[in-house]
Amino acid sequence: MDPDSVKSTLQTLAFGNVMAAAARDYQKEVAAYEKAQTSSSVNEEVDLDDLMDDPELEKLHADRIAALKREAEKRQSLTKKGHGEYREITEGDFFG
């Protein structure tokens, strides 16, 4: 058996394996891209009128509004207590 022919055969087999793996990877990429395209087109077909009457969305909206009101009340009470104010104090007032 000629060592050069064995080496050539092994290189041919290795090249074939690499090409097969590259083809499989490319097929996976194409399939993923097509899947992403179909899922994005499904998302675009959402009817906004259906969302306006969605009770779950209304509950989320009401919860968010209530949370914002609580935060505003908390911020207002802290401001009344003097939090968030900057006052310049002279050295005499500080130590005196």
Side-chain angles (χ1 to χ4, degrees):
M1 199 171 218
D2 182 25
D4 289 332
S5 71
V6 171
K7 184 177 179 182
S8 174
T9 303
L10 290 176
Q11 286 177 343
T12 304
L13 288 174
F15 182 74
N17 289 339
V18 168
M19 291 305 291
R24 282 192 306 272
D25 291 343
Y26 180 71
Q27 285 176 338
K28 287 179 186 177
E29 288 176 13
V30 168
Y33 178 76
E34 288 174 354
K35 184 178 179 181
Q37 290 297 324
T38 57
S39 67
S40 67
S41 67
V42 169
N43 290 340
E44 292 172 3
E45 296 174 6
V46 173
D47 188 14
L48 294 180
D49 292 333
D50 291 340
L51 290 178
M52 296 301 288
D53 299 330
D54 187 11
E56 191 173 326
L57 187 60
E58 288 177 9
K59 182 184 180 314
L60 288 172
H61 180 71
D63 290 346
R64 180 65 180 148
I65 294 294
L68 289 173
K69 286 182 180 179
R70 284 192 304 271
E71 289 177 21
E73 289 173 2
K74 182 179 177 183
R75 197 175 315 116
Q76 188 177 21
S77 69
L78 289 174
T79 302
K80 285 181 183 176
K81 293 178 184 177
H83 292 278
E85 283 185 11
Y86 289 103
R87 290 179 282 155
E88 190 168 329
I89 302 174
T90 62
E91 188 175 331
D93 292 338
F94 185 74
F95 289 116

